Amino acid sequence: MNDDFQDVTTAELAVLQALWRSGTSTIRQLARSIYDDESAAAYGTVQKLLDRLEAKGHVRRERGPTHVFAASTARDELIGRRLRAVADTLCDGSLAPLLTHLVQADRLSSVERDELRALVERLDGERKSRINGRPRS
Amino acid sequence: MNDDFQDVTTAELAVLQALWRSGTSTIRQLARSIYDDESAAAYGTVQKLLDRLEAKGHVRRERGPTHVFAASTARDELIGRRLRAVADTLCDGSLAPLLTHLVQADRLSSVERDELRALVERLDGERKSRINGRPRS
DNA sequence: TGATCCTAAGACGTCTTGTCTGAGATGTCA
DNA sequence: TGACATCTCAGACAAGACGTCTTAGGATCA
């Protein structure tokens, strides 16, 4: 498992968020979108951040007259990595404690709790139909 | 809400873990337990880490001829803080996406999923009885 | 042939983190 | 009382991470 995951810093995350929104961007577009500033300074900053993001494997670069960038790590992937990091450092790698913590009273709004219940029921349904109706291939 | 939460670094966490295990410890005991070393160096290191932990509010110090320390932040509290940090930086502060991520297929064992369902049902029961049986004061 | 835009690369200042050291206070005990 | 051990307190320090900015050089185009 290629698990040399390198986390993303605050400034890098800002770039990544912009890419998640836009899908694809040039440095100049990112500089404008993030810093509202196209100066050489802002430009250079964004460029360096993109370099580091690429080195860490979070960004793909399409070379050309002017490079075009896209995120190669989805927000969901990042969430997962961070959750696992919490589990690893604080729960011996098990995810269950995170869940029980999240589900505990008054940490969730009633809306969130409803969503959760729906989610669990849906999962449960899937599992049942997988077991009864369609033996896994 | 006194929400100037300061997170804990790796070395600080080692100290905190030791305190969670022991309940209460002196610097010397911690130096032995963490570094297996009671040299002045190890001693000083542990002391500095405790100072910082105290400044961040994670540790309580009982003064005396020799100070005795205890964790004032529980493991669960720390888990919660970190989860919220993930939610804040990646989910606009909402915890629900973390849940859906955790609950998603093949991240949980079936045992964990059963536990989760039980947990949700229990919560649901509590909520109902709170609403119907005992109007909140 | 300039002007303009791009990339590449590196040089910082600052902050964090982990570690170590020295100075001084306090207690113990022959 | 005086020597000795053991604390605490406070700061110094190196290494690294982070964010920012600058410079150099190459391509493109009117």
Side-chain angles (χ1 to χ4, degrees), chain B residues 2-68:
Chain B
N2 183 15
D3 222 347
D4 50 349
F5 172 75
Q6 300 248 67
D7 204 355
V8 167
T9 69
T10 315
E12 287 167 3
L13 182 60
V15 174
L16 216 45
Q17 309 248 36
L19 284 174
W20 286 335
R21 254 180 271 118
S22 69
T24 179
S25 283
T26 67
I27 298 180
R28 183 157 304 279
Q29 289 168 339
L30 290 169
R32 165 178 291 277
S33 136
I34 298 170
Y35 295 99
D36 192 27
D37 176 4
E38 298 184 27
S39 70
Y43 192 96
T45 300
V46 170
Q47 184 178 34
K48 179 60 74 184
L49 294 174
L50 282 166
D51 288 349
R52 292 180 182 160
L53 280 169
E54 189 190 21
K56 292 179 182 176
H58 295 298
V59 141
R60 219 169 334 100
R61 176 194 310 249
E62 188 176 326
R63 289 171 187 281
T66 128
H67 298 186
V68 177

Side-chain angles (χ1 to χ4, degrees), chain A residues 23-62:
Chain A
T24 177
S25 283
T26 67
I27 298 180
R28 182 158 306 278
Q29 291 168 337
L30 289 168
R32 165 179 290 277
S33 137
I34 297 170
Y35 295 99
D36 191 28
D37 176 3
E38 298 184 27
S39 70
Y43 192 97
T45 300
V46 170
Q47 184 179 33
K48 179 60 72 184
L49 294 174
L50 282 167
D51 287 351
R52 303 214 248 238
L53 279 170
E54 189 189 21
K56 292 179 181 175
H58 296 298
V59 141
R60 218 167 336 100
R61 176 194 311 249
E62 189 177 327

Side-chain angles (χ1 to χ4, degrees), chain B residues 41-107:
Chain B
Y43 192 96
T45 300
V46 170
Q47 184 178 34
K48 179 60 74 184
L49 294 174
L50 282 166
D51 288 349
R52 292 180 182 160
L53 280 169
E54 189 190 21
K56 292 179 182 176
H58 295 298
V59 141
R60 219 169 334 100
R61 176 194 310 249
E62 188 176 326
R63 289 171 187 281
T66 128
H67 298 186
V68 177
F69 296 84
S72 61
T73 296
R75 170 188 270 112
D76 219 49
E77 165 86 7
L78 199 54
I79 294 177
R81 294 298 197 155
R82 295 209 169 167
L83 288 180
R84 189 157 293 283
V86 175
D88 284 345
T89 37
L90 291 175
C91 313
D92 258 328
S94 161
L95 291 172
L98 304 195
L99 269 174
T100 69
H101 188 101
L102 282 174
V103 170
Q104 233 126 50
D106 70 77
R107 293 191 198 279

